[in-house]
Amino acid sequence: MPELPEVETTLRGIQPFIQHQVIAQLVFRRANLRWPIPTTDLQRLVGQSITAVKRRGKYLLLSTDLATIIIHLGMSGRLRILDKPAIADKHDHVDIIFDNGYLLRFTDPRRFGALLYSEADPYQHPLLKQLGVEPLSRQFCVDYLKRRLQDKRLAIKSALMDQCIVVGVGNIYATEALFIAGIHPLKSARTLALVDLKRLLKATKSILRRAIWHGGSSLKDFLNSEGKPGYFSQKLQVYARAGLPCVRCKSILASIRIGQRSTVYCPHCQH
DNA sequence: CAGAATACCTGCGGGC
DNA sequence: TGCCCGCAGGTATTCT
């Protein structure tokens, strides 16, 4: 479900409801997600007000004066706002209840997601410290990309999805960006010419911006914080279209696996 | 060391 | 109808 646009959509959806609100109660219905949930630490946040809601890569950061809650949605995680307590479903693992009656509910069938706690600078947390640049920032530029890819022999698609290089790009948007840029996903990262890097940068920024504008993609089960689907999946040009004609040249789109992830591309348009 | 494979988990759709 | 297989938006860990 969540790559950068879906996480950003989630952030924008929940922020107005939780910023400046005071945590009244935390409800944990299981002890583990991807890692143990630090329930004892998190309970210390009762009485604290949410001072900021931010995103770093695919992580969401809910800050208080005392500490930051670090949230990752994994593969199937979702956050939504409820205006009153409701019966918890099988996969509704955590509720953060605010003193205005609203609550933030974390749902995650596959439990690859994570809920962490940091009293120190969250950006120095082991999971966030190594993250690469934000793709929509000015730091994601040709000079940076050239430098980070210059001795990478792996497939450009794998490099584009490497969160240590650039954050937020997952399987869907890497696939789409490479199609838009006309670059073969298996091409060795270090062999891209400057002109390729420029097209890839432009394509990546563009696809992410457009996906955010449309409220994220909704392939199977992505629902935003209001429980509504994103509409960007209708705009996807190659992802999940293997065997169908290329929108540009009508060639049949090919499907391969790169780094254990399904990858669709046009053999005619991408080199 | 880089890069590839594996592991974590549930749900769904397709083939039989 | 039901069982088995492969696959799904991510990434830390283990391997070669």
Side-chain angles (χ1 to χ4, degrees):
Chain A
M1 183 250 282
E3 297 182 36
L4 186 148
E6 291 75 34
V7 178
E8 181 66 25
T9 297
T10 298
L11 163 58
R12 294 179 185 185
I14 67 175
Q15 184 168 30
F17 293 93
I18 69 174
Q19 185 142 27
H20 310 310
Q21 297 304 319
V22 174
I23 297 174
Q25 192 188 350
L26 293 138
V27 177
F28 304 104
R29 301 192 183 82
R30 61 173 305 122
N32 296 273
L33 290 168
R34 175 172 195 151
W35 292 292
I37 300 172
T39 54
T40 308
D41 287 336
L42 288 163
Q43 290 292 1
R44 301 183 61 198
L45 295 175
V46 170
Q48 293 278 318
S49 173
I50 302 292
T51 54
V53 183
K54 293 181 180 168
R55 179 189 59 72
R56 173 73 175 106
K58 298 174 190 171
Y59 291 89
L60 284 169
L61 308 174
L62 314 188
S63 299
T64 70
D65 286 337
L66 175 64
T68 299
I69 305 172
I70 301 173
I71 300 173
H72 196 289
L73 300 176
M75 204 82 122
S76 57
R78 158 156 114 92
L79 286 170
R80 80 204 126 121
I81 297 289
L82 300 179
D83 60 7
K84 56 178 181 290
I87 303 292
D89 191 55
K90 186 178 175 184
H91 302 299
D92 295 338
H93 308 307
V94 178
D95 286 347
I96 300 175
I97 305 171
F98 296 92
D99 69 358
N100 65 354
Y102 282 83
L103 65 91
L104 182 67
R105 176 163 284 182
F106 182 91
T107 307
D108 186 7
R110 293 177 74 179
R111 306 204 301 275
F112 290 164
L115 216 66
L116 302 164
Y117 177 91
S118 171
E119 288 188 2
D121 177 3
Y123 297 99
Q124 294 305 309
H125 187 282
L127 291 174
L128 277 72
K129 196 174 180 178
Q130 308 295 330
L131 292 178
V133 300
E134 286 287 334
L136 297 179
S137 73
R138 301 173 63 162
Q139 298 167 52
F140 190 46
C141 60
V142 178
D143 286 346
Y144 175 80
L145 205 52
K146 186 186 174 203
R147 180 165 63 79
R148 294 301 303 270
L149 298 185
Q150 66 186 358
D151 36 40
K152 296 241 177 274
R153 312 175 89 100
L154 47 50
I156 181 59
K157 178 172 182 251
S158 298
L160 189 57
M161 292 173 66
D162 182 346
Q163 304 298 300
C164 296
I165 297 175
V166 58
V167 296
V169 182
N171 202 36
I172 295 178
Y173 299 111
T175 299
E176 293 295 315
L178 288 163
F179 172 76
I180 293 167
I183 298 167
H184 196 293
L186 274 177
K187 185 159 186 168
S188 173
R190 66 173 188 172
T191 67
L192 296 211
L194 269 183
V195 61
D196 294 323
L197 296 178
K198 284 179 186 167
R199 282 208 315 277
L200 185 55
L201 275 164
K202 203 174 167 185
T204 303
K205 287 172 186 275
S206 154
I207 194 83
L208 293 175
R209 282 204 189 96
R210 291 197 297 131
I212 292 169
W213 173 257
H214 288 274
S217 295
S218 183
L219 280 162
K220 282 189 178 159
D221 52 8
F222 174 68
L223 298 175
N224 63 25
S225 58
E226 295 175 350
K228 293 176 182 171
Y231 292 96
F232 194 68
S233 49
Q234 300 166 21
K235 311 271 181 188
L236 298 175
Q237 300 186 86
V238 276
Y239 185 86
R241 291 196 67 245
L244 296 173
C246 170
V247 295
R248 197 181 294 155
C249 77
K250 308 299 181 200
S251 299
I252 298 302
L253 296 175
S255 179
I256 53 175
R257 289 189 84 76
I258 301 177
Q260 315 298 95
R261 311 302 299 278
S262 82
T263 305
V264 183
Y265 69 100
C266 176
H268 182 259
C269 298
Q270 294 176 254
H271 298 281

